[in-house]
Amino acid sequence: GIRWQGNIDLDLYATPRPRAETLYFEHVRSAEGYYFRDHRSSPQREYEFIEFESPVDVRQVEARVNFYQGIAPEGASGEVRIEFEGKIFAGQFSLTASHGNQGRSGRTQGAFWTQMDVPRILNLAESQRSSERSRQPSPVLGGSAASR
């Protein structure tokens, strides 16, 4: 999940694997999970989050944040938290845009979007290399929050 400060609207988008449905404020439910609560300004202590209810390989999860609406002369930033295997992992994100773009995407819209490196946030980069050497199973989220 994400949270931020200020009177701006940031939106979380997450796709559990390639070619799967993306969950976000206009598509709140899929076979894999659901999107919870579109905050249109700072959620204070709450989080705008997506929960995957079926197992997903965290290396395939694509999570992004869009600067949807508002003005932030210095850019927008916030915190991301991910619940994985009963633990909470935290990271930071930032967007360089000074205003929102209403969710538009495309080659000229990069400043309005940021991609989150889920395995890095979960500290899996090193353990992934180790598991590749020993051929361990992939890290999987299942039946609990992938993003909260």
Side-chain angles (χ1 to χ4, degrees):
I2 60 171
R3 72 176 175 182
W4 62 94
Q5 298 297 315
N7 191 24
I8 58 175
D9 185 1
L10 304 182
D11 289 318
L12 176 63
Y13 291 68
T15 307
R17 66 181 179 289
R19 295 177 300 282
E21 296 175 64
T22 298
L23 291 162
Y24 67 107
F25 71 95
E26 288 185 338
H27 185 70
V28 298
R29 176 136 309 269
S30 74
E32 290 85 11
Y34 66 95
Y35 176 96
F36 180 77
R37 196 151 186 190
D38 182 23
H39 289 279
R40 296 190 179 172
S41 64
S42 172
Q44 303 296 323
R45 294 180 180 202
E46 293 183 20
Y47 288 83
E48 180 167 311
F49 70 87
I50 291 170
E51 181 170 348
F52 293 121
E53 299 174 301
S54 61
V56 297
D57 182 338
V58 296
R59 296 172 303 171
Q60 293 187 9
V61 172
E62 181 179 291
R64 299 173 292 144
V65 176
N66 171 248
F67 188 165
Y68 187 84
Q69 189 170 5
I71 297 173
E74 304 296 318
S77 62
E79 177 187 33
V80 57
R81 284 198 177 179
I82 302 173
E83 181 181 334
F84 177 63
E85 295 183 341
K87 298 177 185 170
I88 303 293
F89 297 85
Q92 301 296 311
F93 67 87
S94 61
L95 299 119
T96 58
S98 60
H99 59 86
N101 76 340
Q102 304 291 303
R104 289 187 296 276
S105 61
R107 290 184 307 181
T108 63
Q109 302 300 311
F112 301 94
W113 293 87
T114 189
Q115 179 94 21
M116 289 182 272
D117 186 343
V118 173
R120 184 187 57 74
I121 294 167
L122 298 175
N123 300 317
L124 293 177
E126 181 57 38
S127 65
Q128 182 177 353
R129 283 186 285 250
S130 297
S131 69
E132 287 171 359
R133 285 189 292 254
S134 62
R135 303 283 186 219
Q136 295 295 322
S138 301
V140 175
L141 288 170
S144 65
S147 295
R148 185 183 289 175

